[in-house]
Amino acid sequence: MAHTDSFILSTLNNGIQKVVLNKPARKNALSIPMYKELTILLNKSAKDDEVLIFALTANGDFFSSGNDIGAVMEMELTPTTMENANLTLKDFIDAIIMYPKLLIAVVNGPAIGIASTILGIFDIVYASDKAYFQTPFSSLGLVAEGCSTYTFPRLLGLSKAGDMLYLGYKMNAQEAMKYGLVSKVYNHDSLEEVWDYLNNISKLSSESILATKQLVSKWNREILLKVNAEEIKELKKRFESPDVIERFINFLSRKNKL
Ligand code: COA
């Protein structure tokens, strides 16, 4: 499989579709076209019999800095463009929720905003010891998404989830492993070993893995789709507030960098 667009690279080897965020100069911030591209990849991959694992990782020192704030500010912010942007985000999260194969993240560096929240709906997360996880929604005037309003309290407990979702607590990789958000933390220089580990999947029964995934995801799917719809509805309201625009401008002029 060839690469798609230059900000997202996709290759398929040994049943593993490796999808690499490739916008390191902006810390792999996710723009609307990138969400669209990822959604297309997920939906195609879901139907591709050759794929057993969709593994998301990134180039550069960050996994992703979350929503591309600059790209939002470059958009013409009309009700229609905002509605379309929200729909794009909703479709992306829905595609993750519905993905029938294994969805794995190899978090090579910090994961901020949506890059953190979506990890709660992945099947397995591996992380570099240089990774951290942060959801600074309140400093940007936004609202938690990626189903984290449902998954984080269940994964982390109400108190730690609250510290993250309300106050932007920065969680390091070891702590994320302690809470079960991450399965294993790799020394950064050895992170590539994860691919050798994943390649062992060819010795396992894909039918068994897919049947188990179906059983694990079955009970939560409907709830997660509803949670996503609610979060996106609230996000739309937040974007109607001048508070968000002001905070985005502050970020771009570096007044509220994390
Ligand atoms: N959206 C748009 N651009 C972003 C970005 C984002 N989420 N995150 C980083 N960038 C850009 C920066 O504006 C900068 O661009 P420039 O070189 O044109 O000035 C470039 O990426 C490098 O980032 P910089 O801030 O210089 O690197 P840093 O290592 O000092 O800090 C971060 C990295 C991620 C901690 C910091 O950029 C940050 O706080 N980003 C915002 C993250 C955020 O709030 N995401 C949630 C969105 S919902």
Side-chain angles (χ1 to χ4, degrees), residues 75-104:
M75 274 169 58
E76 195 195 345
L77 296 177
T78 67
T80 310
T81 56
M82 292 310 299
E83 181 66 27
N84 288 341
N86 279 323
L87 259 182
T88 300
L89 200 60
K90 179 173 180 297
D91 288 349
F92 169 59
I93 304 294
D94 279 351
I96 294 177
I97 296 167
M98 298 306 292
Y99 189 70
K101 328 279 182 76
L102 291 190
L103 199 52
I104 295 181

Side-chain angles (χ1 to χ4, degrees), residues 231-257:
E231 289 175 348
I232 296 292
K233 206 156 80 181
E234 200 55 42
L235 196 60
K236 182 170 174 276
K237 282 195 213 152
R238 297 306 309 140
F239 271 107
E240 285 160 5
S241 159
D243 179 44
V244 173
I245 305 301
E246 194 181 314
R247 285 172 184 275
F248 275 32
I249 292 169
N250 281 347
F251 165 73
L252 293 172
S253 61
R254 292 301 186 275
K255 284 190 211 149
N256 70 345
K257 196 154 155 171

Side-chain angles (χ1 to χ4, degrees), residues 177-196:
M177 185 168 73
K178 193 184 95 191
Y179 278 105
L181 182 63
V182 164
S183 167
K184 180 173 175 178
V185 177
Y186 284 78
N187 179 297
H188 188 73
D189 294 332
S190 313
L191 187 61
E192 287 299 301
E193 286 172 13
V194 77
W195 301 109
D196 298 332

Side-chain angles (χ1 to χ4, degrees), residues 25-27 62 65 67-69 112 140 251 254 257-258:
R26 274 202 178 182
K27 309 292 183 192
F62 267 64
S65 59
N67 266 311
D68 190 327
I69 299 170
I112 302 181
L140 288 163
F251 165 73
R254 292 301 186 275
K257 196 154 155 171
L258 295 175

